[in-house]
Amino acid sequence: MNDSADIRFLLAIRESGSLIAAARKLGLSPSAVTQRLQQLEKKLDTQLVNRTARRLQFTEEGMLLCERGAELVQQFDSLFEDLQTRRGGLVGTLKINAPLGFGRRHLAPAIADFQQQNPDIDVALTLSDQPLTETIDRFDIVVHIGDLPVSNLVGYTIAPNARFVCAAPALLKRVGQPESPEALSKLPCIVLRENNEDVSLWQFSKGRTRRSVRVSPHLSCNDGDVIRQWACEGRGVILRSEWDVAEDIAKGRLVRLLQGWKAPDADVIALTHQRTGMPARTRHFMQYLQGRFRPLPPWRR
């Protein structure tokens, strides 16, 4: 294995999940893929993939080669992209994963503008209601909002973002204003399902005082736009990101509740796989995002 081609070939098999899918991805016949894999295993004198009729399973040696090899390939590509950048421009493909609502409203316009400024970069944006549960190594950047679970990913803060409890004036006219977090347990609530989180446990603080409230959601959805619309229609109380409800609050469609209590912040962060050896296109896009959302993000202007 004297160049990166063999590693890229093995990574394509892992990403595809089957030899047939890898063949389509690589533009080869299934028999050619099988033959090349056999030649690679013979060259290394070790089995890399256990092949059955139903699925592929990488051996420990195969997994080690993929994990360490992916790092080497990325560093290799980064080196040549940096050289290309010095010669006059950013090149390559940037793969980004982001939440549905934030991706549509704020990230998609930023990506389009960035690509227009850097026409030699191709950007592939994937929107998901569970970006952290996707196959993360398929992406250069994963945009996440809120606390980050234990992870080996590296996070970069893009923008500040608070979370507000809100309801429509019509609902408050029927049920009254809650005077404490505990009162929320008796009100109709709406929750957003994402990243397999415990979305019905709402937490608040006031100074050193902490409160946790278990709400009973009568409505739930994996799309933030839907639950915000339901809230504006007076169907329930929501706990939602500032970026999503700031305009509705400003225009009176929603009213912010329990302003003396603070829900945990949910800053917008961009996740990458490493601190060093980041491709130039990835590094420049991160800097572009930070510049676009600072010093004040759009929802605070």
Side-chain angles (χ1 to χ4, degrees):
M1 184 174 293
N2 51 17
D3 59 35
S4 66
D6 287 336
I7 295 176
R8 295 178 195 275
F9 169 72
L10 198 62
L11 291 173
I13 293 177
R14 185 182 69 166
E15 183 174 331
S16 301
S18 72
L19 295 183
I20 293 177
R24 289 197 296 265
K25 181 180 180 69
L26 296 168
L28 301 172
S29 67
S31 60
V33 171
T34 300
Q35 185 178 11
R36 183 173 177 181
L37 178 58
Q38 291 171 344
Q39 291 172 346
L40 179 57
E41 291 177 326
K42 183 178 180 180
K43 181 164 57 174
L44 296 174
D45 193 25
T46 186
Q47 186 172 4
L48 302 175
V49 181
N50 292 319
R51 300 178 280 283
T52 67
R54 293 188 176 182
R55 65 190 181 96
L56 298 178
Q57 183 176 11
F58 278 77
T59 64
E60 290 186 10
E61 292 78 10
M63 288 301 299
L64 176 63
L65 187 57
C66 284
E67 291 169 3
R68 296 287 296 276
E71 296 175 6
L72 293 174
V73 166
Q74 189 168 29
Q75 291 175 9
F76 184 85
D77 290 344
S78 178
L79 170 61
F80 281 90
E81 285 165 10
D82 284 346
L83 291 175
Q84 181 69 30
T85 300
R86 292 190 177 201
R87 293 176 56 195
L90 299 173
V91 297
T93 299
L94 186 60
K95 294 176 287 186
I96 303 170
N97 197 359
L100 289 166
F102 186 84
R104 278 194 299 259
R105 195 180 310 179
H106 293 292
L107 195 59
I111 287 173
D113 291 344
F114 176 80
Q115 197 282 326
Q116 188 173 34
Q117 295 173 23
N118 301 276
D120 291 328
I121 294 182
D122 298 328
V123 185
L125 172 63
T126 299
L127 300 182
S128 170
D129 61 335
Q130 297 187 344
L132 289 184
T133 62
E134 300 276 355
T135 307
I136 290 206
D137 57 5
R138 291 172 46 209
F139 301 97
D140 301 301
I141 294 176
V142 175
V143 176
H144 176 67
I145 299 176
D147 291 336
L148 180 64
V150 176
S151 170
N152 58 358
L153 296 174
V154 182
Y156 298 83
T157 300
I158 299 301
N161 176 57
R163 298 168 77 210
F164 299 151
V165 180
C166 306
L171 177 67
L172 298 177
K173 187 175 181 179
R174 296 198 309 269
V175 302
Q177 284 262 7
E179 300 296 330
S180 67
E182 290 79 5
L184 295 172
S185 64
K186 299 179 176 61
L187 297 180
C189 293
I190 306 170
V191 298
L192 173 67
R193 303 189 309 271
E194 57 182 355
N195 289 321
N196 296 323
E197 297 172 355
D198 187 356
V199 294
S200 65
L201 184 64
W202 294 2
Q203 299 178 353
F204 302 91
S205 64
K206 179 191 287 187
R208 296 183 179 180
T209 303
R210 302 286 186 272
R211 293 285 187 272
S212 295
V213 180
R214 177 70 68 181
V215 300
S216 299
H218 299 292
L219 291 169
S220 68
C221 185
N222 66 334
D223 189 326
D225 282 349
V226 171
I227 75 161
R228 180 177 54 81
Q229 182 60 39
W230 281 342
C232 289
E233 294 170 357
R235 300 181 187 277
V237 179
I238 59 171
L239 174 61
R240 195 70 185 106
S241 280
E242 176 186 7
W243 69 261
D244 192 27
V245 297
E247 182 178 351
D248 291 313
I249 293 173
K251 294 185 176 181
R253 293 188 289 260
L254 292 174
V255 176
R256 184 179 170 189
L257 309 178
L258 300 174
Q259 295 195 39
W261 291 88
K262 179 177 175 58
D265 288 336
D267 291 344
V268 181
I269 58 177
L271 305 171
T272 63
H273 298 281
Q274 60 208 54
R275 293 187 185 277
T276 59
M278 189 185 302
R281 62 177 178 271
T282 305
R283 184 171 62 252
H284 279 257
F285 181 70
M286 299 275 277
Q287 294 168 351
Y288 175 83
L289 277 186
Q290 290 174 330
R292 187 174 177 113
F293 289 96
R294 292 179 180 177
L296 287 177
W299 48 91
R300 292 189 179 178
R301 292 173 192 164

